[in-house]
Amino acid sequence: MSESLYPPAILLLEDGKVFYGRACGAIGTTTGELCFNTGMTGYQEIFTDPSYFGQLLVATHVHIGNYGIEDHENESKGIKIAGLICRTFNDIPSRKRAQSSLKKFFVDNGIVAISDIDTRALVRYLRSKGAMNGIISSEVTDIAKLKEQLKKVPSMQGLELSSKVTTNKAYEEGDPNSKFKVALFDFGVKGNIVKCLTDRGCKVKVYPMASSVSDITSWKPDGILFSNGPGDPGAMKEEIISIAKLIDTGIPAFGICLGHQLIALANGIETYKMHSGHRGINHPVKNLLTGKSEITSQNHGFAVSEEGIKKSKNVEITHINLNDGTIEGIRLKDKPVFAVQYHPEASPGPEDARYLFDDFITLMEKNRVGAKKEKVKS
């Protein structure tokens, strides 16, 4: 390996643990919370997922970059991870239709990355010690200086990040003559979530997270979707209040990942930071309503309190994680609202959970029929 092409790089963890490797992206320094993803494919979709904003991603699969980059596989505009840590970084893509290499993609986006790391050892360390901040540098080799810089990096707990990735202005997707209108509250939405709605006959209007309740309701949507996104849901006080007000309108609502957590918080149920989080495309989840299980795509470092749900008179559990028993889905008993912690749109991952978008369509249809009956009665 040429040192001119792959200069030395350092990964330093906040507890002082050091790993040495080679630079495989842009030359520079980057910081963030360390997390790991167990997916063996779909690295481009993962790197462009806004939910990873502010995080250093450890890829557990040994080969990264082997099939290059294809523009239509992006989940948002540009890379959202703060940096990458991997075992083997491949410069030359094997896929014929690849439009560029991963190296070029990283350099063009200014993303710092490090390879030749023993990622098995690193992931075992994080699973034991828990999530923590880290710093990658291919320009500074002085550990003392890196430690000082790392001390300034804020903890993910209490950190609001959705404002960094939400849309600046509202925009519409789908056929203007679609049967249903869905208002999507953008906390860092993945592009395939919008596509799953438009593919099912929805006209989608994506709203910035700073949008008011009246902004949403004045458009007269048939349904509201609260999207995924990065950061600590507990730090989003204004958004929690807005979601509570939108739920009170009786408009059918669906929450995904961060949206799931915010719906819980809007109903007085606490969230908490997980030891190391769930990130991968192979997490088993059981649907308690049907008794069926599904393999899911996940990306979250916070979760909804099971004890909080048990104390609630209005919220019930619909899905649980079969690995650790954590909450994966909830619904309200008195409003047409449901949510899941995982990603039903996948991208990347299995499509076992796509039925949830169909359930959302059914919920909007039932609500429309019910509204017509009420109108006839009056």
Side-chain angles (χ1 to χ4, degrees):
M1 181 180 284
S2 171
E3 191 164 318
S4 62
L5 291 176
Y6 302 92
I10 294 173
L11 167 64
L12 170 67
L13 279 55
E14 69 174 86
D15 67 355
K17 183 79 170 176
V18 181
F19 291 82
Y20 295 93
R22 296 283 181 182
C24 54
I27 300 301
T29 302
T30 187
T31 62
E33 183 183 72
L34 287 153
C35 65
F36 56 89
N37 187 294
T38 58
M40 294 182 68
T41 60
Y43 57 75
Q44 184 177 343
E45 293 94 329
I46 293 167
F47 297 163
T48 56
D49 178 354
S51 295
Y52 280 108
F53 186 85
Q55 293 180 299
L56 301 178
L57 178 68
V58 183
T60 63
H61 182 50
V62 66
H63 298 296
I64 299 298
N66 50 315
Y67 55 83
I69 295 296
E70 196 168 3
D71 290 345
H72 81 274
E73 293 175 353
N74 287 344
E75 283 297 312
S76 66
K77 293 180 180 178
I79 301 175
K80 294 300 186 291
I81 60 171
L84 172 69
I85 302 149
C86 64
R87 178 67 185 90
T88 304
F89 190 91
N90 295 315
D91 257 8
I92 303 172
S94 60
R95 183 168 51 166
K96 288 184 178 180
R97 67 173 188 265
Q99 294 164 318
S100 71
S101 68
L102 182 57
K103 173 77 176 284
K104 184 178 186 302
F105 193 41
F106 273 20
V107 171
D108 289 348
N109 283 268
I111 300 299
V112 175
I114 184 171
S115 67
D116 292 68
I117 293 290
D118 185 346
T119 49
R120 283 189 177 185
L122 175 57
V123 169
R124 285 173 67 90
Y125 192 80
L126 294 174
R127 283 177 63 88
S128 172
K129 302 291 185 177
M132 67 180 76
N133 287 336
I135 185 168
I136 303 171
S137 185
S138 49
E139 60 182 359
V140 179
T141 57
D142 188 321
I143 299 296
K145 290 182 179 179
L146 291 175
K147 284 183 177 180
E148 287 303 310
Q149 189 170 341
L150 186 52
K151 287 178 182 178
K152 300 174 184 177
V153 181
S155 169
M156 185 64 73
Q157 190 155 7
L159 196 59
E160 187 281 302
L161 292 174
S162 287
S163 58
K164 308 290 186 182
V165 294
T166 186
T167 182
N168 292 322
K169 60 180 180 179
Y171 63 92
E172 296 182 8
E173 296 283 352
D175 185 347
N177 299 312
S178 295
K179 184 176 181 181
F180 297 105
K181 293 165 61 179
V182 175
L184 192 154
F185 231 134
D186 178 17
F187 303 120
V189 69
K190 292 172 66 179
N192 210 44
I193 290 177
V194 178
K195 186 176 185 299
C196 283
L197 291 170
T198 57
D199 284 351
R200 288 166 173 74
C202 296
K203 176 183 177 181
V204 181
K205 189 168 184 179
V206 182
Y207 286 87
M209 64 175 280
S211 301
S212 67
V213 172
S214 60
D215 288 335
I216 306 291
T217 56
S218 62
W219 191 58
K220 297 182 179 179
D222 297 291
I224 304 171
L225 191 142
F226 303 115
S227 85
N228 62 294
D232 185 345
M236 303 173 69
K237 305 301 183 184
E238 292 184 10
E239 288 70 32
I240 293 168
I241 293 170
S242 293
I243 288 173
K245 290 178 179 178
L246 286 167
I247 288 173
D248 283 343
T249 65
I251 300 172
F254 179 19
I256 294 175
C257 202
L258 179 64
H260 159 85
Q261 298 161 5
L262 292 171
I263 286 174
L265 287 163
N267 282 274
I269 297 166
E270 293 184 352
T271 57
Y272 63 94
K273 196 174 190 309
M274 304 177 76
H275 181 71
S276 56
H278 292 164
R279 297 175 182 88
I281 58 177
N282 52 1
H283 287 253
V285 166
K286 183 175 182 180
N287 184 327
L288 300 180
L289 304 177
T290 66
K292 295 181 179 180
S293 296
E294 56 207 61
I295 302 302
T296 67
S297 178
Q298 302 207 8
N299 172 20
H300 62 105
F302 291 84
V304 172
S305 166
E306 180 180 1
E307 289 303 312
I309 296 174
K310 289 179 178 179
K311 292 176 183 177
S312 173
K313 297 179 180 179
N314 192 42
V315 181
E316 63 178 340
I317 301 168
T318 58
H319 298 75
I320 58 168
N321 190 294
L322 291 175
N323 283 335
D324 59 12
T326 53
I327 305 303
E328 294 285 359
I330 58 174
R331 69 177 179 180
L332 303 192
K333 297 177 182 179
D334 64 344
K335 291 286 191 305
V337 177
F338 70 103
V340 291
Q341 181 62 76
Y342 51 98
H343 283 263
E345 84 291 343
S347 297
E351 299 182 359
D352 298 27
R354 288 279 177 94
Y355 70 89
L356 289 162
F357 289 101
D358 299 320
D359 289 353
F360 186 39
I361 299 295
T362 300
L363 199 61
M364 289 190 288
E365 181 67 58
K366 286 181 178 179
N367 191 69
R368 180 179 286 181
V369 170
K372 285 182 179 178
K373 287 182 179 179
E374 286 298 319
K375 191 173 182 180
V376 170
K377 286 181 181 180
S378 60

